[in-house]
């Protein structure tokens, strides 16, 4: 919920070039909600900053500031708690950021792993469990669809670029995690962008082609449920 409250208002402000009190409220509230549930919300303010720089958007930068405010409000109780417990959380965070024990492998290996998880998340929104080869094929098809739609419609291009950047930046930042593996539920912050990207692709498909894909999708689900 927190990621959705940040992603959709930010995208709306980028497309309309308008920033309102309502946008600030939702972005700040989304960050605050996320800060109460999981540390992965810490990735989102930096992502908003990168988007504001890439698109040279003042409205997205204001979303970044709103997100920082929500994060500050969210971590104030944690700071008081940490102060009373000899800064245990702070020292743990410093140790995490400075630890050079690459138990998860070299950086490029971790980066490949996080991008594969992202690709799997996209695939799971369309079909159920597939082989690695099928997952690669679907990924290439999605990339091809994004390129085609980007050339056809300027509005689609900006939406799809933001979705791809959001998904890719999350995967890139998680590659700095040096643990054995990055838990898949950390990537839930990608879901709003994945959902919108797939919806944009499907909404721009011809009806006959979409009907054919629906039949294939239904067949794959039936096959999955009938497996022993």
């Amino acid at each position: 919920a927190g990621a959705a409250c940040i992603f959709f208002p930010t995208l709306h402000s980028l497309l309309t070039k308008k920033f309102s009190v309502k946008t600030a409220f939702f972005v700040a509230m989304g960050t605050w909600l996320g800060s109460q549930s999981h540390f992965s919300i810490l990735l989102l303010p930096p992502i908003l900053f990168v988007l504001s720089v890439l698109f040279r958007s003042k409205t997205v930068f204001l979303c970044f500031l709103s997100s920082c405010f929500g994060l500050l409000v969210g971590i104030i109780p944690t700071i008081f708690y940490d102060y009373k417990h000899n800064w245990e959380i702070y020292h743990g965070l410093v140790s995490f950021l400075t630890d050079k024990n690459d138990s998860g492998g070299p950086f490029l290996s971790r980066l490949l792993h996080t991008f594969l998880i992202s690709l799997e998340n996209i695939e799971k929104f369309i079909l159920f469990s597939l082989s690695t080869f099928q997952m690669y094929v679907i990924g290439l098809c999605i990339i091809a669809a994004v390129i085609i739609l980007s050339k056809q419609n300027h509005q689609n291009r900006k939406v799809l670029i933001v979705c791809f950047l959001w998904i890719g930046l999350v995967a890139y930042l998680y590659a700095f995690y040096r643990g054995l593996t990055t838990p898949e539920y950390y990537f839930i912050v990608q879901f709003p962008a994945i959902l919108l990207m797939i919806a944009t692709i499907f909404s721009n498909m011809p009806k006959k082609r979409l009907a054919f894909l629906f039949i294939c999708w239904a067949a794959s689900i039936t096959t999955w449920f009938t497996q022993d």
Side-chain angles (χ1 to χ4, degrees):
C5 287
I6 299 170
F7 176 76
F8 290 111
T10 300
L11 179 61
H12 180 265
S13 69
L14 175 63
L15 296 177
T16 61
K17 298 181 180 179
K18 295 179 181 179
F19 182 84
S20 64
V21 175
K22 186 185 296 184
T23 301
F25 172 78
F26 277 113
V27 173
M29 180 60 70
T31 308
W32 178 83
L33 286 172
S35 68
Q36 305 306 304
S37 57
H38 196 262
F39 82 91
S40 59
I41 204 71
L42 294 173
L43 298 179
L44 300 189
I47 289 176
L48 294 182
F49 178 76
V50 172
L51 291 177
S52 69
V53 173
L54 292 177
F55 289 98
R56 299 179 182 178
S57 172
K58 294 181 180 179
T59 56
V60 177
F61 184 75
L62 291 174
C63 289
F64 161 71
L65 295 179
S66 302
S67 182
C68 290
F69 174 76
L71 181 62
L72 179 63
V73 173
I75 65 175
I76 285 177
T78 305
I79 294 174
F80 282 112
Y81 171 86
D82 209 26
Y83 172 74
K84 292 182 178 180
H85 292 81
N86 298 317
W87 303 104
E88 292 180 0
I89 298 176
Y90 168 75
H91 291 306
L93 179 61
V94 171
S95 177
F96 169 75
L97 293 175
T98 58
D99 184 14
K100 296 182 179 180
N101 179 25
D102 291 336
S103 56
F107 177 78
L108 290 179
S109 176
R110 299 195 304 268
L111 183 62
L112 177 61
H113 175 70
T114 56
F115 270 99
L116 286 177
I117 292 178
S118 303
L119 189 59
E120 186 178 356
N121 286 336
I122 296 173
E123 168 255 318
K124 286 180 178 178
F125 268 82
I126 306 173
L127 300 168
F128 284 87
S129 182
L130 296 175
S131 67
T132 303
F133 174 76
Q134 291 171 322
M135 189 169 66
Y136 288 152
V137 171
I138 288 179
L140 291 174
C141 289
I142 290 175
I143 293 173
V146 168
I147 294 173
I148 293 171
L149 291 176
S150 298
K151 292 182 178 180
Q152 292 178 348
N153 188 299
H154 175 72
Q155 193 81 340
N156 284 339
R157 178 166 63 248
K158 188 169 286 188
V159 169
L160 292 172
I161 288 175
V162 170
C163 290
F164 254 77
L165 285 173
W166 187 279
I167 297 167
L169 286 171
V170 169
Y172 175 76
L173 291 174
Y174 273 140
F176 289 93
Y177 176 72
R178 294 188 175 93
L180 290 175
T181 57
T182 307
E184 293 186 10
Y185 68 88
Y186 282 17
F187 292 78
I188 195 171
V189 293
Q190 293 179 330
F191 285 5
I194 293 174
L195 181 62
L196 181 61
M197 181 181 67
I198 293 174
T200 302
I201 292 173
F202 281 1
S203 65
N204 286 273
M205 280 187 175
K207 292 183 178 180
K208 291 182 179 180
R209 194 175 302 172
L210 190 60
F212 172 75
L213 289 176
F214 177 77
I215 293 172
C216 294
W217 175 75
S220 69
I221 292 179
T222 304
T223 304
W224 186 81
F225 276 112
T226 55
Q227 288 178 347
D228 293 332

